[in-house]
Amino acid sequence: MVRLGSMSASSFSARRARVQAALGDDVLVIASTPVALRNNDVEHDYRQDSDLYYLTGFDEPQTVLVLRGGRAPQFVLFVRPRDPEREVWDGAREGVEGALANYGADQAFPAAQLEATLPELLGDAPRLHYRLGRDRAFDELVLRALDRVRARARTGVSAPGAIVDPGLIVHELRLYKQPEELEAMRRALAITGEAHLEAMRQTQPGMYEYEVEALVNGTFRRRGAERLAYSSIVGGGPNATVLHYRRNDRQLQAGELLLIDAGCEAGYYASDITRTFPVSGRFSEPQRQLYDLVLQAQLASIAAAIPGATLDEVHAASVNVLAQGLRELGFFQESLEEVLERQLYRPYYMHRTSHWLGMDVHDVGAYFVAGKPRPLAPGMVLTVEPGLYVSETAPCPERYRGLGIRIEDDVLVTVGAAEVLSQFIPKTVAEVERACTA
Ligand code: GLY
Ligand code: MN
Ligand code: MN
């Protein structure tokens, strides 16, 4: 079986076939992510556009995919040509030859021929599926090509009558994970789980947050993940209450909690996991009370993630548990109805509980369909990540101030109960304490 990256070549051709079936006589154009300059001569690490990779497995920059369906289906790639001199510096390229031989393209051209060749490929397609607005220079090239097709009207060629977003087809497919995608996600999670476990084992009072970050990120790379799915958040003590904390430069104190939100990307699939654990290995009583409350909220949301339910319902399950629990712990004097009605819990839980997960950490796929929250269906993967974030000045019992806790798992919707893909990462108080003192 020919493999491209971590998947069989047939996985990519099957995806293209599904897109081509949905296109009918239409044409689709997807360009690779432009190389981004970091500073002076230095570039940011390159990562292929997820849609382009999903349909080709091709990971080089300056690539353009053109796909046509209908009676004359075509898979065309524009790629960087072979260039022995450049390859000495930057490594081997597939070139036109590789695009044909290894990636199954029906036709392949050097990227420089795009401008001249694209009009031909757009001719007679009723609609063009192209995402306008992301790369203005490339938009211009596509619009010029359209104009040139229009100029051929007298020769009997018709230009696309509409431009539509390719996401309507491609992102719908990406929302439902195929078995080989789930395999990639499980592999990413195996690595991410090991990193979180290693952090629980090795964290000690006196360490700096960046030392733990290095341990986590180092485990990702050591186990072969290509990159982070997002920048790792390692927040000790009150930093755990900052949702997008990124400095990771504080010294951890005995008795504090440490929140780690970190996930690797492996084989172009993301993982997204948060665990919160005691720096000294044992939860204090107030820490345990809040931790157990977040855990109960998370379990309620996971139980709610069944086919037909919506993400609003998954979120509401957490909110109800958190609101009631906070009230019992003395955060509010108001009735539960009033806490929920007036959203009095929001200073402590201000984000949503879930997002789609896949090739992108905040993955594609419409959250609303025809103006209504989309019902869950088997094959979708989402995060379930409730938390509590109590500022140091919060009007609540003093013992809870400065505590930040989030528990985040990655969950697959099945025909029955949701499958927690990250089930094996320590999560209950007993499991976490055992991992911390192992
Ligand atoms: N780590 C990003 C998120 O949890 O959504
Ligand atoms: Mn996260
Ligand atoms: Mn998340």
Side-chain angles (χ1 to χ4, degrees), residues 131-153:
R131 175 158 275 196
L132 278 169
R134 271 214 321 205
D135 176 350
R136 294 304 160 104
F138 197 80
D139 289 353
E140 288 289 335
L141 188 148
V142 170
L143 296 177
R144 280 198 300 277
L146 268 180
D147 234 13
R148 288 180 45 207
V149 190
R150 291 184 192 122
R152 293 180 194 171

mmCIF file of all heavy atoms in Angstrom, residues 131-153:
data_model
loop_
_atom_site.group_PDB
_atom_site.id
_atom_site.type_symbol
_atom_site.label_atom_id
_atom_site.label_comp_id
_atom_site.label_asym_id
_atom_site.label_seq_id
_atom_site.Cartn_x
_atom_site.Cartn_y
_atom_site.Cartn_z
ATOM 1 N N ARG A 131 -12.038 29.934 -2.076
ATOM 2 C CA ARG A 131 -12.247 30.765 -0.882
ATOM 3 C C ARG A 131 -11.622 32.134 -1.081
ATOM 4 O O ARG A 131 -10.402 32.307 -0.956
ATOM 5 C CB ARG A 131 -11.660 30.075 0.344
ATOM 6 C CG ARG A 131 -11.735 30.941 1.585
ATOM 7 C CD ARG A 131 -11.674 30.153 2.858
ATOM 8 N NE ARG A 131 -12.996 29.682 3.226
ATOM 9 C CZ ARG A 131 -13.330 29.227 4.425
ATOM 10 N NH1 ARG A 131 -12.433 29.155 5.377
ATOM 11 N NH2 ARG A 131 -14.557 28.834 4.678
ATOM 12 N N LEU A 132 -12.462 33.113 -1.420
ATOM 13 C CA LEU A 132 -11.987 34.495 -1.597
ATOM 14 C C LEU A 132 -11.660 35.111 -0.240
ATOM 15 O O LEU A 132 -12.292 34.795 0.760
ATOM 16 C CB LEU A 132 -13.085 35.339 -2.244
ATOM 17 C CG LEU A 132 -13.221 35.249 -3.762
ATOM 18 C CD1 LEU A 132 -14.515 35.929 -4.198
ATOM 19 C CD2 LEU A 132 -12.028 35.894 -4.462
ATOM 20 N N GLY A 133 -10.647 36.008 -0.231
ATOM 21 C CA GLY A 133 -10.438 36.839 0.959
ATOM 22 C C GLY A 133 -9.327 36.388 1.880
ATOM 23 O O GLY A 133 -9.020 37.066 2.848
ATOM 24 N N ARG A 134 -8.705 35.235 1.601
ATOM 25 C CA ARG A 134 -7.656 34.771 2.511
ATOM 26 C C ARG A 134 -6.275 35.212 2.068
ATOM 27 O O ARG A 134 -5.390 35.448 2.871
ATOM 28 C CB ARG A 134 -7.694 33.247 2.624
ATOM 29 C CG ARG A 134 -8.605 32.772 3.705
ATOM 30 C CD ARG A 134 -8.106 31.534 4.349
ATOM 31 N NE ARG A 134 -7.512 30.630 3.370
ATOM 32 C CZ ARG A 134 -7.429 29.334 3.532
ATOM 33 N NH1 ARG A 134 -7.881 28.788 4.610
ATOM 34 N NH2 ARG A 134 -6.879 28.573 2.606
ATOM 35 N N ASP A 135 -6.074 35.275 0.746
ATOM 36 C CA ASP A 135 -4.762 35.615 0.198
ATOM 37 C C ASP A 135 -5.028 36.526 -1.003
ATOM 38 O O ASP A 135 -5.344 36.061 -2.100
ATOM 39 C CB ASP A 135 -4.055 34.309 -0.208
ATOM 40 C CG ASP A 135 -2.710 34.548 -0.890
ATOM 41 O OD1 ASP A 135 -2.394 35.710 -1.223
ATOM 42 O OD2 ASP A 135 -1.989 33.554 -1.097
ATOM 43 N N ARG A 136 -4.934 37.857 -0.749
ATOM 44 C CA ARG A 136 -5.376 38.824 -1.765
ATOM 45 C C ARG A 136 -4.599 38.688 -3.072
ATOM 46 O O ARG A 136 -5.150 38.847 -4.155
ATOM 47 C CB ARG A 136 -5.262 40.255 -1.226
ATOM 48 C CG ARG A 136 -6.209 40.553 -0.072
ATOM 49 C CD ARG A 136 -7.637 40.261 -0.483
ATOM 50 N NE ARG A 136 -8.495 40.077 0.669
ATOM 51 C CZ ARG A 136 -9.354 40.965 1.123
ATOM 52 N NH1 ARG A 136 -9.482 42.118 0.511
ATOM 53 N NH2 ARG A 136 -10.099 40.697 2.163
ATOM 54 N N ALA A 137 -3.301 38.383 -2.994
ATOM 55 C CA ALA A 137 -2.503 38.264 -4.215
ATOM 56 C C ALA A 137 -3.029 37.093 -5.042
ATOM 57 O O ALA A 137 -3.179 37.187 -6.268
ATOM 58 C CB ALA A 137 -1.031 38.065 -3.862
ATOM 59 N N PHE A 138 -3.342 35.994 -4.356
ATOM 60 C CA PHE A 138 -3.842 34.826 -5.093
ATOM 61 C C PHE A 138 -5.262 35.083 -5.604
ATOM 62 O O PHE A 138 -5.623 34.648 -6.709
ATOM 63 C CB PHE A 138 -3.782 33.574 -4.220
ATOM 64 C CG PHE A 138 -3.878 32.317 -5.030
ATOM 65 C CD1 PHE A 138 -2.769 31.829 -5.698
ATOM 66 C CD2 PHE A 138 -5.088 31.659 -5.173
ATOM 67 C CE1 PHE A 138 -2.862 30.691 -6.490
ATOM 68 C CE2 PHE A 138 -5.190 30.516 -5.966
ATOM 69 C CZ PHE A 138 -4.079 30.035 -6.618
ATOM 70 N N ASP A 139 -6.067 35.814 -4.813
ATOM 71 C CA ASP A 139 -7.412 36.204 -5.290
ATOM 72 C C ASP A 139 -7.304 36.900 -6.646
ATOM 73 O O ASP A 139 -8.065 36.620 -7.578
ATOM 74 C CB ASP A 139 -8.091 37.179 -4.310
ATOM 75 C CG ASP A 139 -8.512 36.523 -3.010
ATOM 76 O OD1 ASP A 139 -8.405 35.290 -2.900
ATOM 77 O OD2 ASP A 139 -8.932 37.260 -2.094
ATOM 78 N N GLU A 140 -6.343 37.816 -6.735
ATOM 79 C CA GLU A 140 -6.151 38.588 -7.976
ATOM 80 C C GLU A 140 -5.864 37.655 -9.142
ATOM 81 O O GLU A 140 -6.396 37.819 -10.242
ATOM 82 C CB GLU A 140 -4.983 39.572 -7.820
ATOM 83 C CG GLU A 140 -5.269 40.751 -6.911
ATOM 84 C CD GLU A 140 -6.242 41.721 -7.549
ATOM 85 O OE1 GLU A 140 -6.309 41.755 -8.790
ATOM 86 O OE2 GLU A 140 -6.948 42.425 -6.806
ATOM 87 N N LEU A 141 -5.011 36.673 -8.892
ATOM 88 C CA LEU A 141 -4.648 35.733 -9.956
ATOM 89 C C LEU A 141 -5.888 34.958 -10.424
ATOM 90 O O LEU A 141 -6.116 34.788 -11.622
ATOM 91 C CB LEU A 141 -3.569 34.792 -9.426
ATOM 92 C CG LEU A 141 -2.924 33.846 -10.436
ATOM 93 C CD1 LEU A 141 -1.470 33.593 -10.048
ATOM 94 C CD2 LEU A 141 -3.652 32.523 -10.524
ATOM 95 N N VAL A 142 -6.702 34.527 -9.471
ATOM 96 C CA VAL A 142 -7.908 33.767 -9.817
ATOM 97 C C VAL A 142 -8.888 34.661 -10.592
ATOM 98 O O VAL A 142 -9.468 34.243 -11.599
ATOM 99 C CB VAL A 142 -8.570 33.193 -8.537
ATOM 100 C CG1 VAL A 142 -9.947 32.610 -8.842
ATOM 101 C CG2 VAL A 142 -7.672 32.135 -7.900
ATOM 102 N N LEU A 143 -9.035 35.912 -10.137
ATOM 103 C CA LEU A 143 -9.973 36.819 -10.822
ATOM 104 C C LEU A 143 -9.490 37.146 -12.237
ATOM 105 O O LEU A 143 -10.299 37.242 -13.166
ATOM 106 C CB LEU A 143 -10.169 38.095 -9.989
ATOM 107 C CG LEU A 143 -10.826 37.849 -8.611
ATOM 108 C CD1 LEU A 143 -10.924 39.151 -7.811
ATOM 109 C CD2 LEU A 143 -12.203 37.208 -8.753
ATOM 110 N N ARG A 144 -8.177 37.273 -12.387
ATOM 111 C CA ARG A 144 -7.637 37.492 -13.749
ATOM 112 C C ARG A 144 -7.957 36.295 -14.637
ATOM 113 O O ARG A 144 -8.338 36.444 -15.798
ATOM 114 C CB ARG A 144 -6.113 37.697 -13.694
ATOM 115 C CG ARG A 144 -5.676 39.094 -13.289
ATOM 116 C CD ARG A 144 -4.218 39.358 -13.676
ATOM 117 N NE ARG A 144 -3.269 38.436 -13.054
ATOM 118 C CZ ARG A 144 -2.778 38.578 -11.801
ATOM 119 N NH1 ARG A 144 -3.151 39.609 -11.067
ATOM 120 N NH2 ARG A 144 -1.918 37.713 -11.317
ATOM 121 N N ALA A 145 -7.817 35.092 -14.054
ATOM 122 C CA ALA A 145 -8.110 33.880 -14.839
ATOM 123 C C ALA A 145 -9.579 33.868 -15.257
ATOM 124 O O ALA A 145 -9.908 33.556 -16.404
ATOM 125 C CB ALA A 145 -7.766 32.635 -14.022
ATOM 126 N N LEU A 146 -10.461 34.243 -14.323
ATOM 127 C CA LEU A 146 -11.889 34.294 -14.644
ATOM 128 C C LEU A 146 -12.159 35.248 -15.793
ATOM 129 O O LEU A 146 -12.922 34.945 -16.717
ATOM 130 C CB LEU A 146 -12.673 34.781 -13.419
ATOM 131 C CG LEU A 146 -13.224 33.743 -12.462
ATOM 132 C CD1 LEU A 146 -13.949 34.443 -11.326
ATOM 133 C CD2 LEU A 146 -14.167 32.777 -13.200
ATOM 134 N N ASP A 147 -11.511 36.410 -15.712
ATOM 135 C CA ASP A 147 -11.687 37.432 -16.737
ATOM 136 C C ASP A 147 -11.253 36.918 -18.099
ATOM 137 O O ASP A 147 -11.873 37.214 -19.124
ATOM 138 C CB ASP A 147 -10.842 38.654 -16.362
ATOM 139 C CG ASP A 147 -11.695 39.892 -16.338
ATOM 140 O OD1 ASP A 147 -12.934 39.748 -16.369
ATOM 141 O OD2 ASP A 147 -11.116 40.998 -16.301
ATOM 142 N N ARG A 148 -10.191 36.131 -18.086
ATOM 143 C CA ARG A 148 -9.696 35.615 -19.366
ATOM 144 C C ARG A 148 -10.631 34.549 -19.919
ATOM 145 O O ARG A 148 -10.745 34.397 -21.131
ATOM 146 C CB ARG A 148 -8.260 35.120 -19.207
ATOM 147 C CG ARG A 148 -7.329 36.336 -19.053
ATOM 148 C CD ARG A 148 -5.877 36.004 -18.877
ATOM 149 N NE ARG A 148 -5.409 34.999 -19.791
ATOM 150 C CZ ARG A 148 -4.375 34.192 -19.514
ATOM 151 N NH1 ARG A 148 -3.733 34.310 -18.363
ATOM 152 N NH2 ARG A 148 -3.969 33.316 -20.392
ATOM 153 N N VAL A 149 -11.296 33.803 -19.041
ATOM 154 C CA VAL A 149 -12.297 32.846 -19.555
ATOM 155 C C VAL A 149 -13.462 33.633 -20.162
ATOM 156 O O VAL A 149 -13.961 33.288 -21.235
ATOM 157 C CB VAL A 149 -12.840 31.926 -18.437
ATOM 158 C CG1 VAL A 149 -13.676 30.802 -19.033
ATOM 159 C CG2 VAL A 149 -11.719 31.331 -17.620
ATOM 160 N N ARG A 150 -13.875 34.695 -19.475
ATOM 161 C CA ARG A 150 -14.998 35.501 -19.995
ATOM 162 C C ARG A 150 -14.673 36.052 -21.386
ATOM 163 O O ARG A 150 -15.530 36.121 -22.249
ATOM 164 C CB ARG A 150 -15.309 36.657 -19.046
ATOM 165 C CG ARG A 150 -15.901 36.202 -17.730
ATOM 166 C CD ARG A 150 -16.285 37.383 -16.869
ATOM 167 N NE ARG A 150 -16.576 36.962 -15.512
ATOM 168 C CZ ARG A 150 -15.947 37.406 -14.420
ATOM 169 N NH1 ARG A 150 -14.986 38.316 -14.520
ATOM 170 N NH2 ARG A 150 -16.272 36.946 -13.241
ATOM 171 N N ALA A 151 -13.394 36.412 -21.562
ATOM 172 C CA ALA A 151 -12.990 36.998 -22.848
ATOM 173 C C ALA A 151 -13.097 35.987 -23.988
ATOM 174 O O ALA A 151 -13.068 36.356 -25.155
ATOM 175 C CB ALA A 151 -11.557 37.532 -22.748
ATOM 176 N N ARG A 152 -13.230 34.699 -23.632
ATOM 177 C CA ARG A 152 -13.317 33.680 -24.686
ATOM 178 C C ARG A 152 -14.765 33.325 -25.028
ATOM 179 O O ARG A 152 -15.009 32.327 -25.725
ATOM 180 C CB ARG A 152 -12.605 32.398 -24.240
ATOM 181 C CG ARG A 152 -11.122 32.589 -24.110
ATOM 182 C CD ARG A 152 -10.463 31.299 -23.674
ATOM 183 N NE ARG A 152 -9.104 31.575 -23.238
ATOM 184 C CZ ARG A 152 -8.320 30.700 -22.649
ATOM 185 N NH1 ARG A 152 -8.760 29.479 -22.420
ATOM 186 N NH2 ARG A 152 -7.101 31.027 -22.297
ATOM 187 N N ALA A 153 -15.706 34.121 -24.518
ATOM 188 C CA ALA A 153 -17.126 33.784 -24.687
ATOM 189 C C ALA A 153 -17.476 33.549 -26.148
ATOM 190 O O ALA A 153 -18.248 32.648 -26.468
ATOM 191 C CB ALA A 153 -17.987 34.896 -24.099
#
